[in-house]
Amino acid sequence: MSFSSSSSSSQASSHPLSGYGWDESWDAAFAPYAEQGLLPGRVVRVDRGQCDVVTADGLVRADTAFVTPHDPLRVICTGDWAAVDRDGDPRFVRTYLPRRTAFVRSTSSNRSEGQILAANVDHAIIAVSLAVELDLGRIERFLALAWESGAQPLVVLTKADLVPDVRGLSYLVRDVETTAPGVQVLPVSSATGEGVEVLAAVVSGGTSVLLGVSGAGKSTLANALLGEDVMDVQATRDIDGKGRHTTTTRNLLALPAGGVLIDTPGLRGVGLWDAEAGVGQVFSEIEDLAQECRFHDCAHAAEPGCAVLAAVEDGSLPERRLDSYRKLLRENKRIVAKTDARLRAEIRRDWKQKGAEGRAAFQAKRGSVR
């Protein structure tokens, strides 16, 4: 079978990997590797220096030794399109195609390295359990990473059957919609089937990654979309809605209604990684208001003519939203500063200036008291 760049769109759509997202663009990008006799495939699972790759010849196990650079953002990951040896024992992944999108978070290491969770994702499904009180700040954090990745976010409120009151459920949906401008919010119940068909239709046209904390119902939701119990499910604790890490690796699964799903382990920490644009997208109403501020570099703290503070004052902008916006921007700036020497220097100068201003104000206050 030929994988040359001359392949037509009809050939790409009938390709054995079309169900995993193979298209004409991937076919063209792979042409140089096809000439080298390599086999295209999509990475469905990675663990311990090896990965499972689905190819036209079936599922193969391949070693990743040739694609294990020092940069943790360049390691092979679930969702990558790989160029694999056609035979051999062991087989090797020789390279992977440039990623269209990448979902990245910061690690908990002191070096603040980025960790790539999934590649070539079209939809980021953020699973939020209605079994516990909504954490809007956490939703905003997930949304920032999702927007930054290049994927389209979608918030799924799982376990909707636990909120039988229709009006109460509508209020919860509205709260999340206010937190997620431009994002579809869909209540779903895997127990009753509510919303599952709608979700399946939304994700049928591409690759989706399923994100959320432990106990959010991701594995149950994955099973509902798959139409069978593929993922193990464990009960959550009644006291806080938390669960164990049912999923321990990232797995890429073909959906019966079309599209593919990457299920991820529950994320205890969701650190930002150079996600300023994503934060701006989540808080787009604040960014819009900032255009009306008197000063172009307004910090929205105490400046005169600040449209953002005026919106908080008149109640059109919740103060919680502004606090969350500031918090995520500060966190993102710290992360970037750890890998950007120039920005580190700017932050140090800013700290020194503010410290000098604070000391001067303190001395002036002492002088007036005397």
Side-chain angles (χ1 to χ4, degrees):
M1 183 177 295
S2 173
F3 301 104
S4 69
S5 58
S6 62
S7 298
S8 67
S9 58
S10 60
Q11 287 176 313
S13 63
S14 62
H15 191 279
L17 294 176
S18 61
Y20 286 88
W22 186 263
D23 57 28
E24 191 174 9
S25 296
W26 290 123
D27 193 83
F30 194 81
Y33 305 109
E35 294 175 357
Q36 299 174 29
L38 298 175
L39 186 68
R42 192 153 198 198
V43 178
V44 299
R45 176 188 171 105
V46 179
D47 66 288
R48 298 181 182 179
Q50 293 188 314
C51 62
D52 293 330
V53 184
V54 61
T55 72
D57 293 345
L59 189 67
V60 302
R61 187 75 165 166
D63 195 295
T64 64
F66 287 98
V67 283
T68 309
H70 295 296
D71 185 349
L73 297 182
R74 297 182 182 277
V75 299
I76 197 88
C77 77
T78 304
D80 274 324
W81 284 102
V84 187
D85 292 333
R86 285 188 175 274
D87 50 35
D89 186 18
R91 290 191 181 188
F92 288 94
V93 173
R94 298 295 171 172
T95 188
Y96 59 83
L97 299 183
R99 294 160 177 161
R100 293 177 181 174
T101 62
F103 195 97
V104 180
R105 69 165 178 173
S106 67
T107 66
S108 58
S109 71
N110 292 330
R111 293 176 294 177
S112 295
E113 295 176 336
Q115 178 190 22
I116 183 164
L117 299 179
N120 303 312
V121 172
D122 302 295
H123 308 282
I125 305 172
I126 301 167
V128 179
S129 173
L130 291 178
V132 294
E133 184 177 355
L134 288 176
D135 186 338
L136 299 179
R138 178 180 287 155
I139 295 174
E140 289 163 343
R141 182 178 291 272
F142 270 110
L143 286 169
L145 291 178
W147 281 121
E148 191 68 33
S149 75
Q152 171 66 45
L154 167 66
V155 178
V156 172
L157 302 179
T158 65
K159 309 179 185 182
D161 54 290
L162 299 181
V163 187
D165 177 50
V166 176
R167 178 175 295 183
L169 181 59
S170 68
Y171 287 155
L172 292 171
V173 172
R174 187 178 63 185
D175 286 345
V176 177
E177 286 176 338
T178 302
T179 300
V183 176
Q184 183 177 3
V185 179
L186 182 64
V188 170
S189 170
S190 300
T192 66
E194 176 189 355
V196 173
E197 287 188 5
V198 176
L199 178 59
V202 171
V203 302
S204 63
T207 298
S208 303
V209 61
L210 191 51
L211 305 160
V213 299
S214 299
K218 297 188 304 300
S219 295
T220 303
L221 184 60
N223 286 337
L225 290 171
L226 289 163
E228 57 182 318
D229 293 339
V230 174
M231 310 304 296
D232 290 335
V233 177
Q234 295 179 353
T236 57
R237 300 194 301 243
D238 292 335
I239 188 169
D240 55 11
K242 293 182 179 179
R244 299 176 183 174
H245 289 299
T246 303
T247 304
T248 56
T249 58
R250 298 170 193 93
N251 304 283
L252 187 147
L253 308 159
L255 298 173
V260 292
L261 179 70
I262 299 175
D263 190 20
T264 65
L267 301 175
R268 289 192 178 94
V270 193
L272 300 184
W273 177 258
D274 197 6
E276 183 177 356
V279 173
Q281 186 75 37
V282 176
F283 298 93
S284 57
E285 80 276 31
I286 297 179
E287 300 264 304
D288 290 341
L289 285 168
Q291 299 300 314
E292 306 299 323
C293 291
R294 181 183 302 176
F295 304 107
H296 69 87
D297 58 348
C298 183
H300 320 308
E303 296 86 347
C306 176
V308 174
L309 293 180
V312 173
E313 185 68 24
D314 67 24
S316 58
L317 175 66
E319 188 171 2
R320 187 206 67 79
R321 285 280 285 172
L322 180 56
D323 290 342
S324 184
Y325 174 67
R326 289 167 171 162
K327 177 182 179 181
L328 292 183
L329 282 182
R330 285 195 303 268
E331 176 185 328
N332 188 72
K333 195 171 185 179
R334 286 197 301 269
I335 291 295
V336 173
K338 291 182 179 180
T339 57
D340 189 323
R342 184 175 62 178
L343 184 56
R344 284 200 303 270
E346 290 177 358
I347 290 176
R348 288 195 189 98
R349 286 196 297 269
D350 186 50
W351 285 345
K352 289 180 180 179
Q353 180 180 349
K354 289 182 177 178
E357 291 172 352
R359 287 190 296 272
F362 178 70
Q363 292 296 334
K365 184 177 180 179
R366 288 186 62 186
S368 64
V369 171
R370 292 177 182 174

